[in-house]
Amino acid sequence: MQTGNVTTPFGRRPMTLALVKGQLATANIKAGKTVDKWKVYRSACEARALLGLRDRALAVLNALLSFYPEQELSEDRNLVVFPSNAQLSIRSNGIAGTTLRENLALLVDAGLIHRNDSPNGKRYARKGSDGEIETAYGFSLAPLLARAEELALMAHQVAEESRQLRITKERITIARRNVRKLITAAVEEGAPGNWQAVESALVGAIARIKLAKTVEAFEACLDELNLLNEEAVNLLEIQLNPQNSDTNDSEIRRHIQNSNTESLNELEPRSEKEQGETTVPKPNRGTEPIKAFPLGMVLRACPQISDYAVGGTISHWRELMAAAVVVRTMLGVSPSAYQDACETMGPENAAVAMACVLERAQHITSAGGYLRDLTRRSEKGEFSLGPMLMALLRAHDPQRQQSA
């Protein structure tokens, strides 16, 4: 056989640029390089999802490796194996001929083996006068040797993603349980509030968990449950706080409904509130400040804030707070308005609020007036960042918004 378009027992398969690139890579294997053939095989098995391989293709690869007589693949040895289809089928647990050819093609396309074709399309070896193999035609295992480190890294990546997925699912289970306990306690104790709305939000979140497939999708579900938990806790704190005992039922219902809204319109102040803000006496800040949310969640909801950070990335809360100061100046928010927000909400939550204002800047007439209104509502226990972050998360994820 030749290295271009050839007619072989496997059918006509064109030589692609990807295959050429792979063959050039194997031609530059470091002198003296060796690797345990079964270790690299295990790496390929663990990375099969990234390689696009199925179990039968790996069974065929196992069979090919069994025809290599040494334990280690070595650069200074012949790396071509030349079993017949009948022999391969037997060692591949009796795979039928057509299926065998399909899976051999998959291994070639994945860059794990190369065809080393003979002039007549047969697989065989020619030995020299000393009895050693001089030339062999069949399947070269050189790509496994050349890509040993790459395959190990791919296997590690798959394992890490699996670990992260397992941890995220565990956290989702705990978050679901916590929200359920809060709802049950509130209903049994007769705590005022629209707990049916909280229950509906929980049912919706659970439904989205069932549809999640990737780590990112599960993390988005975890974010939603964490926000719902924060909202339930804040609602209960409002009921238990003596300073807010005069809050009427309509205010409580509005607070819970905000947790499930798709829009930020009700969170924005009226235009008359945005103009000519006057200073009002601060009430006693004896209440617990709004809890800070996970930084990763904030950055997914408010990606624009990263543009104002040093280096264009944010990995710590202090970097978010520094970027928020830059945004405050850019949006024309007075230092006193931002200082009031920091004192009322806490510096982390004030930075989050500023990031949210930045995301909605085109819909806000006066950023300073808007922030002052949020600060006043926070002091009264009428505002939480949870609904705002949830709305922004959904706005940046249309698919999730449709399923909500």
Side-chain angles (χ1 to χ4, degrees):
M1 289 189 289
Q2 301 173 354
T3 57
N5 290 343
V6 294
T7 301
T8 74
F10 311 104
R12 182 177 293 273
R13 294 187 60 80
M15 174 63 76
T16 65
L17 291 178
L19 292 177
V20 172
K21 182 180 179 181
Q23 291 184 1
L24 290 175
T26 59
N28 296 318
I29 299 176
K30 184 179 178 181
K33 182 179 181 180
T34 62
V35 65
D36 186 297
K37 65 181 181 181
W38 297 120
K39 285 185 178 180
V40 72
Y41 171 73
R42 284 193 295 272
S43 294
C45 289
E46 293 169 7
R48 62 181 178 273
L50 297 179
L51 294 169
L53 296 176
R54 51 200 183 197
D55 291 343
R56 286 195 171 184
L58 293 169
V60 174
L61 180 60
N62 181 292
L64 287 171
L65 286 169
S66 71
F67 284 101
Y68 183 78
E70 305 296 333
Q71 177 72 18
E72 291 190 337
L73 301 175
S74 176
E75 179 271 339
D76 59 2
R77 292 181 179 272
N78 170 60
L79 293 173
V80 176
V81 292
F82 39 91
S84 66
N85 280 0
Q87 291 172 315
L88 266 179
S89 178
I90 292 172
R91 295 201 188 182
S92 302
N93 303 319
I95 293 179
T98 301
T99 305
L100 176 65
R101 291 191 289 272
E102 290 175 354
N103 287 287
L104 284 168
L106 286 175
L107 292 172
V108 172
D109 291 341
L112 297 185
I113 61 173
H114 287 159
R115 285 193 175 95
N116 193 28
D117 301 330
S118 69
N120 62 4
K122 302 296 183 180
R123 299 177 210 144
Y124 61 89
R126 181 180 296 111
K127 295 184 179 181
S129 57
D130 57 357
E132 295 293 328
I133 294 178
E134 190 176 72
T135 306
Y137 299 100
F139 295 103
S140 173
L141 303 176
L144 290 173
L145 178 60
R147 300 180 64 189
E149 295 82 5
E150 177 190 354
L151 292 172
L153 288 174
M154 293 173 70
H156 176 75
Q157 177 184 344
V158 171
E160 181 61 25
E161 289 179 356
S162 178
R163 187 187 71 86
Q164 187 61 40
L165 180 61
R166 184 173 63 255
I167 292 174
T168 302
K169 286 183 177 180
E170 290 174 354
R171 291 175 177 171
I172 285 175
T173 299
I174 294 172
R176 286 175 56 180
R177 188 181 302 153
N178 288 343
V179 175
R180 174 63 64 194
K181 286 179 179 179
L182 289 172
I183 295 173
T184 301
V187 173
E188 290 179 351
E189 297 292 331
N194 189 355
W195 293 101
Q196 183 59 45
V198 182
E199 172 72 20
S200 298
L202 178 60
V203 171
I206 293 173
R208 282 183 280 277
I209 293 171
K210 295 178 179 179
L211 298 175
K213 301 296 182 184
T214 64
V215 174
E216 292 75 15
F218 279 105
E219 287 178 344
C221 293
L222 178 59
D223 287 345
E224 185 171 2
L225 287 171
N226 285 335
L227 284 170
L228 187 57
N229 182 75
E230 292 290 345
E231 286 303 298
V233 170
N234 287 340
L235 180 60
L236 286 174
E237 288 177 348
I238 290 173
Q239 307 307 322
L240 296 175
N241 194 314
Q243 293 185 2
N244 295 303
S245 59
D246 59 344
T247 303
N248 58 41
D249 289 343
S250 63
E251 290 176 328
I252 297 170
R253 285 196 296 270
R254 184 174 70 252
H255 183 86
I256 281 294
Q257 289 168 357
N258 284 347
S259 301
N260 301 283
T261 183
E262 295 286 339
S263 171
L264 292 178
N265 292 334
E266 66 271 27
L267 298 177
E268 295 182 3
R270 300 188 188 94
S271 58
E272 60 267 22
K273 287 186 177 183
E274 297 176 356
Q275 305 295 330
E277 290 293 331
T278 58
T279 303
V280 296
K282 303 287 184 190
N284 180 22
R285 295 191 183 102
T287 61
E288 182 181 355
I290 303 172
K291 296 177 176 60
F293 296 93
L295 180 60
M297 179 197 305
V298 174
L299 295 178
R300 283 193 291 273
C302 309
Q304 293 185 50
I305 191 72
S306 296
D307 296 337
Y308 298 87
V310 177
T313 59
I314 294 175
S315 56
H316 302 285
W317 278 103
R318 62 178 179 273
E319 295 173 347
L320 177 68
M321 291 186 284
V325 172
V326 177
V327 171
R328 175 197 69 74
T329 304
M330 186 270 294
L331 293 180
V333 177
S334 67
S336 62
Y338 189 65
Q339 180 63 29
D340 288 345
C342 290
E343 292 176 358
T344 301
M345 303 180 187
E348 293 88 355
N349 286 302
V352 173
M354 187 56 61
C356 292
V357 171
L358 176 63
E359 291 294 320
R360 297 285 295 171
Q362 70 271 27
H363 302 290
I364 299 173
T365 304
S366 170
Y370 183 81
L371 183 63
R372 287 188 184 278
D373 187 70
L374 295 184
T375 302
R376 281 198 301 270
R377 293 169 65 184
S378 296
E379 291 172 336
K380 297 177 183 179
E382 297 176 352
F383 168 74
S384 172
L385 287 167
M388 181 179 286
L389 287 172
M390 196 70 255
L392 289 171
L393 280 170
R394 288 175 176 167
H396 290 303
D397 189 349
Q399 182 178 358
R400 188 159 173 250
Q401 185 177 18
Q402 292 173 4
S403 65

